[in-house]
Amino acid sequence: MSRGSHLTKEEQAQIRAFKIAGWSNRMISSKLKRSLNCINQFVNNPDHYERMKNTGAPKKLTERDKRGIVRLASNTMKSCNDIKNELGLNISKTTVWRAIDQSPEIVRAKLVPAPRLTLRHKDNRLTFAKANMATDWDKDNAAIHVSQSSKDWFKSHKIKVLDWPACSPDLNPMENVWGELVRRVYAQGKKYDTVDQLKDAIETEWNKIDKNYLKRLVDSMPNRLYDVISKHGGPTKNFGGEPIIMKRTVVFGGTQKNLGAAGLTIVIVRNDLIGFELPTTPGILNYREIRDSSSLYNTLPAGNLRTTNLVLKWIRDQGGVQKMYQNNLEKSKLIYAIIDSSEGFYRSEIAPQNRSIMNICFGVSGNLEEKFLCGAEQRDMLNLKGHRSVGKIRASIYNSTRRAPPANAGSSFWIVPASRVVFFRCKQKHVS
């Protein structure tokens, strides 16, 4: 039977006639091919049929609000938060976005995430990366760009300019800077009448850019080059800029190893996702309950919390998460370089793009793993045996593990756990 649509005027008249004739609701339902519930609703209250109030939640936006949102969103660079605040609406930015998305008057354009690379592009990228692996980016202060007008502008500001391969924003920190300048110069849909006004605005915003932001971009160049080489000139994860954590909706993780001791969990949840729990959701897993109680819904392990607090302060004092990431990349590259150059003595079965910078897993050829572990323990390298389900070797180099070469280290490298005073030295690539 058909369901869902309202009864027509003709069907309503037929039902009245059938009821006068003494028909039951079920007989009428079968005759009109309508559901019994539909017939019951009409028969029980025929004078108020289709006049019943909507029992759903009230709409958050009036038609006037929607028109105001569409008007502000048209041909501007205002964010959903900007629109919400300007109109004084007590709604989430997701509701604003939904109103824009549902409007037929606004066409949404999506940027292509990465340029398409040909074989020639990849060869040029690989050549550039190999040629500049030894470049001292701090010393050279090199801006990578090829536009002649841009070169003239950079040279007037005493910034060195290098030619860079086409279709390679991941190798060009200036792309990040230009993106930041565009957001600032054209904020709130600002327009300029003359070229001179635009130039003045660019120079003004350039002078406002944080020097630490520029330094982070410069410091990222060795890793960008390494990623391009690892991908044999192909696209890397740096296409489109730096990753932003809140592109994720929920981040859930334990504090053990890098943030403290086991027994504490950190959860980051986007605000607009809180409040949709099921009726059966336990309070301890209800993010709204936890947020409203300031994470004190239950008694927290005070010792673990204090430990994580101290670790977070230590990370901050060391330069923050970005500095930890850079340090871990450098440490892991040292060990992976030995593995990859050992001519098969050490074996890593994990593809380079999927390798962990925290837990380095590898094997030793010739059934020498037990001998390797014994030799490692003699040199104070403990707990290197891999997981019981996998075996092999697993070297963990968490945040507190740092490089500290003494004066007589020669060409060797040292790894020193920050919580210990015992040094160990890798004298040879092969353990016999």
Side-chain angles (χ1 to χ4, degrees):
M1 296 181 183
S2 60
R3 299 186 63 179
S5 60
H6 290 287
L7 295 169
T8 64
K9 296 297 183 183
E10 181 181 352
E11 288 174 325
Q12 294 177 28
Q14 286 179 321
I15 294 173
R16 286 191 173 94
F18 289 141
K19 292 302 293 182
I20 294 174
W23 285 35
S24 68
N25 290 357
R26 192 174 299 278
M27 293 172 60
I28 298 174
S29 170
S30 177
K31 177 66 176 178
L32 297 180
K33 307 298 183 184
R34 286 288 197 163
S35 70
L36 180 60
N37 183 57
C38 177
I39 303 300
N40 289 339
Q41 283 185 355
F42 177 78
V43 172
N44 291 338
N45 201 350
D47 295 332
H48 291 83
Y49 183 73
E50 292 184 332
R51 299 180 186 176
M52 298 178 65
K53 293 183 178 180
N54 189 350
T55 58
K59 293 183 177 181
K60 296 182 179 180
L61 293 173
T62 64
E63 292 301 319
R64 181 178 180 180
D65 292 335
K66 292 179 181 179
R67 290 195 298 271
I69 291 173
V70 171
R71 183 175 62 254
L72 288 180
S74 299
N75 299 317
T76 68
M77 297 181 67
K78 292 182 179 180
S79 67
C80 291
N81 273 330
D82 292 337
I83 295 173
K84 178 186 72 172
N85 295 333
E86 186 168 334
L87 294 176
L89 300 174
N90 186 23
I91 55 176
S92 70
K93 63 180 181 181
T94 305
T95 303
V96 176
W97 177 88
R98 191 179 299 116
I100 295 172
D101 186 57
Q102 293 173 352
S103 172
E105 301 173 8
I106 296 180
V107 178
R108 177 173 176 263
K110 187 175 181 181
L111 294 176
V112 178
R116 181 176 297 178
L117 297 176
T118 65
L119 184 59
R120 179 173 60 84
H121 290 143
K122 294 180 181 180
D123 290 340
N124 292 340
R125 285 162 52 81
L126 191 58
T127 300
F128 178 89
K130 290 180 178 179
N132 287 281
M133 279 298 290
T135 298
D136 187 346
W137 301 97
D138 282 318
K139 179 179 178 181
D140 291 342
N141 191 24
I144 315 170
H145 217 284
V146 293
S147 168
Q148 188 59 49
S149 59
S150 298
K151 283 183 178 181
D152 295 339
W153 189 87
F154 285 123
K155 288 177 180 178
S156 68
H157 287 72
K158 298 181 180 180
I159 300 175
K160 183 178 177 180
V161 181
L162 296 178
D163 287 335
W164 61 291
C167 300
S168 298
D170 53 339
L171 283 175
N172 184 2
M174 280 310 301
E175 294 287 352
N176 300 90
V177 177
W178 279 125
E180 180 65 20
L181 284 174
V182 167
R183 284 191 290 271
R184 296 185 181 201
V185 169
Y186 293 103
Q188 307 298 333
K190 191 172 182 180
K191 298 179 181 179
Y192 301 92
D193 297 327
T194 65
V195 175
D196 289 335
Q197 287 182 1
L198 179 58
K199 286 183 177 180
D200 291 341
I202 293 174
E203 292 214 31
T204 300
E205 295 301 333
W206 167 265
N207 293 328
K208 291 180 182 179
I209 289 181
D210 185 9
K211 303 303 180 186
N212 291 327
Y213 169 72
L214 298 177
K215 186 178 186 307
R216 288 197 301 271
L217 292 178
V218 172
D219 291 342
S220 71
M221 278 305 299
N223 293 326
R224 293 172 185 243
L225 298 173
Y226 176 83
D227 289 341
V228 169
I229 294 174
S230 300
K231 296 283 188 177
H232 304 291
T236 70
K237 65 181 180 182
N238 288 316
F239 269 104
E242 300 171 338
I244 301 173
I245 191 173
M246 286 320 293
K247 284 184 176 177
R248 306 288 182 260
T249 53
V250 178
V251 178
F252 184 100
T255 58
Q256 62 268 23
K257 309 294 194 306
N258 272 335
L259 289 178
L264 192 67
T265 301
I266 292 179
V267 182
I268 304 173
V269 187
R270 218 171 61 191
N271 277 329
D272 57 305
L273 295 181
I274 296 177
F276 297 96
E277 65 279 352
L278 296 173
T280 56
T281 302
I284 193 64
L285 299 177
N286 187 328
Y287 293 148
R288 180 177 56 81
E289 292 274 6
I290 296 173
R291 180 199 62 186
D292 294 346
S293 61
S294 300
S295 297
L296 293 174
Y297 179 82
N298 63 318
T299 302
L300 298 178
N304 298 42
L305 198 62
R306 174 63 174 164
T307 301
T308 296
N309 178 265
L310 293 174
V311 171
L312 289 172
K313 289 179 178 178
W314 175 81
I315 291 175
R316 177 199 63 194
D317 295 341
Q318 298 299 312
V321 176
Q322 185 65 27
K323 183 63 176 178
M324 293 292 105
Y325 176 68
Q326 297 293 338
N327 290 344
N328 291 328
L329 272 180
E330 292 175 4
K331 292 183 297 185
S332 62
K333 286 175 183 177
L334 283 174
I335 302 177
Y336 282 127
I338 292 178
I339 294 173
D340 294 338
S341 62
S342 67
E343 299 179 354
F345 185 84
Y346 298 120
R347 306 184 313 278
S348 175
E349 299 176 358
I350 303 172
Q353 66 271 22
N354 297 326
R355 288 175 172 177
S356 169
I357 63 173
M358 287 293 166
N359 293 295
I360 299 177
C361 301
F362 61 95
V364 183
S365 62
N367 297 320
L368 295 175
E369 289 181 2
E370 290 299 326
K371 201 169 184 180
F372 176 92
L373 292 171
C374 291
E377 289 187 7
Q378 295 172 8
R379 293 164 174 80
D380 291 318
M381 292 186 284
L382 309 177
N383 300 320
L384 291 181
K385 188 172 183 179
H387 192 274
R388 60 181 177 273
S389 63
V390 179
K392 302 183 181 179
I393 312 297
R394 183 177 69 175
S396 298
I397 49 172
Y398 296 108
N399 288 343
S400 60
T401 306
R402 58 186 178 87
R403 293 179 60 195
N408 61 348
S411 60
S412 305
F413 67 87
W414 296 63
I415 302 293
V416 183
S419 59
R420 300 177 58 187
V421 295
V422 179
F423 294 90
F424 63 81
R425 182 175 183 181
C426 298
K427 295 183 178 180
Q428 298 176 342
K429 291 190 296 184
H430 298 179
V431 177
S432 58

